[in-house]
């Protein structure tokens, strides 16, 4: 993600299977908490994807980390200018 401060971009998270009843909260963390503003990411029950807005906070760089699937981690580089 490459954002200007205050800019919003939609990000879609997709899983290989549908979320269980009650939905599925994704474990997403960042090492640049002042640079990214985003809601909790919950995939609705029966769906396999969700799109959320990600807004640039203070200028900086780092990563978003999605963990807990298949023992691995998905890393999304982040830069806010």
């Amino acid at each position: 993600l490459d954002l200007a401060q205050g800019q919003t971009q939609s990000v879609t998270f997709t899983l290989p299977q549908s979320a269980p009843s009650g939905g599925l909260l994704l474990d997403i963390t960042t090492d640049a908490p002042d640079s990214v503003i985003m809601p909790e990411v919950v995939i609705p029950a029966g769906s396999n994807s969700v799109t959320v807005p990600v807004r640039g906070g203070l200028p900086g760089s780092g990563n978003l980390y999605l963990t807990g699937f298949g023992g691995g981690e998905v890393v999304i580089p982040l830069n806010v200018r």
Side-chain angles (χ1 to χ4, degrees), residues 20-66:
S21 92
L24 179 64
L25 175 65
L26 299 184
D27 182 12
I28 299 176
T29 59
T30 183
D31 56 3
D34 294 334
S35 297
V36 64
I37 302 163
M38 64 184 289
E40 284 189 331
V41 179
V42 178
I43 300 205
S47 181
N48 73 329
S49 69
V50 67
T51 300
V52 297
V54 177
R55 185 162 52 102
L58 297 176
S61 60
N63 297 293
L64 294 176
Y65 302 96
L66 169 60

